[in-house]
Amino acid sequence: MTKKKILLLLGIALLISQLFFGQDPQTKVLCVTVVIALWWIFEVLPLGVTALLPVVAFPMLDIMPAKKVAPIYMSHIMMVFIGGFLVAGAMERWNLHRRIALKIISSFSGTPSKLFLGFMAATAFLSMWIPNTATTVMMVSVSLAVSKHYEEKFGRDQNSRFFTSALMISIAYAASIGGIATLVGTPPNLAFVRIYEIVFPGVQAPSFAQWMLFALPTSLILLTLAWFIICRVFLRSAHLATLDSSVVKNELQKLGKMTAEEKKVSIVFLAMIFLWIFRRDVPLGAFTVPGWGSLIAPPGVINDGTVAIICALSLFALPSEQGGKLLDKKAFSKIPLEIIFLFGGGFALAKGIQESGLSESIGEALQFLGHYPEWIITLGITFTMTFLTEFTSNTSTTELFLPIVGSVSKEIGMPPLSLMIPTTLAASCAFMLPAATPPNSIIFASGRVKVSDMIKCGLILNLLCVGIITILGCLLPLFLP
């Protein structure tokens, strides 16, 4: 019998035992959490399938009624994800994302180090707004064209292998790092917003603008470090010739002039960014820019999900010069339901942990951490998350850790954001192994990157990320008073 089958049967047996013998709600929730954690970590079932377990387990174990569990799976955060995904789909459909990427890359022609930086800048920018999986797939296709041109001009030897490998790794790392800069850039960031609201009801999570205030500089620092490490690892051991920018310019010329569809999608895309950033008040020193949301409705009525859906709906209404609309019903078939269920399962789990009182019990059990300096605690959780997500899904791991981290911070008197935000960011900073993140898996699947190359660069970057994010955790009260 395989390990997955054993874990599946053990999990079912544990849940059935609680059905007949369980008395304490906290113990029941703990059992459900353990089963979900093990099934997520070892992928006993598809992640999205496991995430549906609370829908069945919570009502049957008398933890929460079904009518309270089901709505958790479709929160306003889901609307942010769905709306943002549809806008990203329009960018892909009309090749706007490819034009943006090529425009940025063409500004960095010259030496290999500049070219790597150009690819990283383009990938990071796109990953701030559209799924990093889609960004990576598109950028890999561009990088393969550049690599082919390099091989044709300078020959297919060890130097060309180093060139292609460095280019691929640059893209994967930039996709993950760019995603942390915005709330919509990567699933763990969106998970943080909802779980924070569940653990601390009545308290507003950081706004889109507040998140970017500290996450964007952090992302730029990490991107610079990643670029420096890649150049040191690959350029130190190889003599890579300078490649002219003709291949990038040729790819850009193939797109032709900007179409009417691209222009319309660009307007919607820019409007969405503007509305997200300025929905809530934006403090600028002594002056505060009033948020547009509070000018047309009471505070808290309009959220980022409202903005995302408005922009998505406009794409289904705006006409295309080629007939039809900018988006059609086919766009819905591309929405990743597994991610939506994964979000919902994590939110339901967080709600069950809070309502049963398990979060308080865990916090009390870990009160001894209050005797340690705050930076030591942040360092420990950041290190754990960074290296644990080398082997596990960063979204599911974030959803398991955040409710516990929030409860612990509350019990030891530590600012919750100073611990929960580093936990969230660290989940996106796994760079060593192919299975760590979708971008890593995509570049490895190209057959142009060795695991040893990823580990050489990734281990150094992982450790640097732990240090940078720990420092950020200590400085967060300056950004989020």
Side-chain angles (χ1 to χ4, degrees):
M1 189 177 292
T2 65
K3 178 173 64 177
K4 289 186 177 182
K5 287 183 178 178
I6 293 172
L7 287 172
L8 178 63
L9 294 174
L10 285 176
I12 293 172
L14 181 59
L15 294 175
I16 291 175
S17 71
Q18 289 301 304
L19 182 62
F20 292 102
F21 305 109
Q23 298 293 327
D24 182 20
Q26 292 187 23
T27 304
K28 293 178 182 179
V29 173
L30 181 61
C31 288
V32 175
T33 303
V34 169
V35 171
I36 290 177
L38 289 174
W39 287 5
W40 268 344
I41 291 171
F42 295 100
E43 296 189 37
V44 175
L45 297 173
L47 298 180
V49 175
T50 299
L52 290 171
L53 192 58
V55 177
V56 178
F58 281 8
M60 293 190 69
L61 296 178
D62 195 25
I63 296 169
M64 287 174 63
K67 64 181 181 181
K68 284 190 176 181
V69 178
I72 298 174
Y73 281 74
M74 193 51 69
S75 66
H76 70 93
I77 291 300
M78 293 300 96
M79 296 299 102
V80 176
F81 180 78
I82 292 171
F85 193 89
L86 290 171
V87 174
M91 294 175 68
E92 291 180 53
R93 181 182 181 185
W94 301 108
N95 263 332
L96 177 61
H97 66 321
R98 189 178 183 88
R99 186 180 297 277
I100 293 172
L102 292 172
K103 280 281 188 183
I104 295 173
I105 295 170
S106 64
S107 302
F108 289 86
S109 60
T111 62
S113 61
K114 287 184 179 180
L115 187 63
F116 299 158
L117 184 59
F119 269 85
M120 293 181 78
T123 306
F125 175 77
L126 290 173
S127 293
M128 290 168 61
W129 313 106
I130 66 178
N132 56 17
T133 303
T135 301
T136 306
V137 170
M138 187 270 294
M139 294 301 294
V140 163
S141 68
V142 176
S143 71
L144 287 174
V146 173
S147 298
K148 183 180 178 181
H149 182 70
Y150 188 94
E151 290 170 358
E152 289 174 350
K153 190 168 185 178
F154 302 109
R156 191 165 188 174
D157 54 13
Q158 184 74 347
N159 283 340
S160 65
R161 191 195 76 77
F162 279 142
F163 177 84
T164 303
S165 184
L167 202 54
M168 292 285 189
I169 291 175
S170 298
I171 291 168
Y173 289 2
S176 297
I177 292 171
I180 71 175
T182 65
L183 280 175
V184 297
T186 186
N189 295 0
L190 288 172
F192 155 77
V193 174
R194 182 57 183 147
I195 291 175
Y196 183 78
E197 293 172 346
I198 292 172
V199 177
F200 302 97
V203 180
Q204 279 193 329
S207 68
F208 201 95
Q210 286 176 319
W211 181 275
M212 287 191 70
L213 187 64
F214 64 81
L216 182 57
T218 303
S219 178
L220 292 174
I221 292 170
L222 296 181
L223 195 69
T224 303
L225 290 173
W227 171 71
F228 179 77
I229 291 167
I230 290 169
C231 290
R232 287 287 295 172
V233 169
F234 288 98
L235 299 184
R236 184 177 59 180
S237 54
H239 301 286
L240 303 184
T242 297
L243 185 68
D244 61 73
S245 59
S246 60
V247 63
V248 176
K249 290 179 180 178
N250 289 338
E251 291 291 322
L252 195 55
Q253 287 175 357
K254 289 178 185 178
L255 295 177
K257 291 183 178 181
M258 197 170 189
T259 63
E261 288 82 4
E262 286 181 85
K263 292 176 183 178
K264 291 176 183 178
V265 174
S266 297
I267 292 171
V268 174
F269 173 58
L270 293 173
M272 184 173 68
I273 294 174
F274 178 86
L275 293 173
W276 269 339
I277 292 175
F278 294 101
R279 180 181 63 83
R280 281 165 52 182
D281 294 353
V282 180
L284 299 173
F287 179 72
T288 299
V289 178
W292 63 266
S294 59
L295 298 178
I296 62 176
V301 173
I302 297 174
N303 56 39
D304 290 337
T306 311
V307 173
I309 296 301
I310 287 174
C311 294
L313 289 175
S314 69
L315 293 170
F316 286 97
L318 291 171
S320 164
E321 299 292 322
Q322 300 180 22
K325 308 297 181 181
L326 294 178
L327 274 183
D328 54 32
K329 63 181 181 181
K330 294 179 182 178
F332 287 105
S333 65
K334 298 180 180 180
I335 295 176
L337 291 178
E338 184 178 46
I339 297 295
I340 291 177
F341 292 145
L342 189 57
F343 273 134
F347 300 158
L349 204 58
K351 189 69 172 177
I353 290 172
Q354 185 214 15
E355 290 210 351
S356 67
L358 179 61
S359 58
E360 293 180 5
S361 298
I362 293 174
E364 290 172 1
L366 297 175
Q367 272 187 336
F368 69 90
L369 293 175
H371 299 298
Y372 294 91
E374 291 184 358
W375 71 270
I376 290 289
I377 301 172
T378 305
L379 178 66
I381 189 66
T382 302
F383 183 89
T384 302
M385 285 295 292
T386 299
F387 286 91
L388 182 60
T389 49
E390 291 286 354
F391 308 95
T392 62
S393 160
N394 59 359
T395 304
S396 59
T397 306
T398 303
E399 293 183 323
L400 287 170
F401 268 68
L402 280 180
I404 297 172
V405 168
S407 300
V408 169
S409 65
K410 189 163 38 175
E411 289 296 329
I412 65 177
M414 184 175 174
L417 293 176
S418 294
L419 199 55
M420 293 181 74
I421 287 177
T423 302
T424 304
L425 298 183
S428 297
C429 293
F431 303 104
M432 287 173 55
L433 300 176
T437 62
N440 287 12
S441 301
I442 291 168
I443 65 163
F444 183 72
S446 70
R448 297 298 194 98
V449 180
K450 292 183 178 180
V451 176
S452 58
D453 291 335
M454 295 182 69
I455 291 176
K456 278 190 294 187
C457 295
L459 177 59
I460 301 170
L461 188 55
N462 275 14
L463 293 173
L464 287 173
C465 284
V466 169
I468 296 296
I469 293 173
T470 299
I471 294 171
L472 172 67
C474 298
L475 297 177
L476 269 175
L478 299 176
F479 296 97
L480 301 170

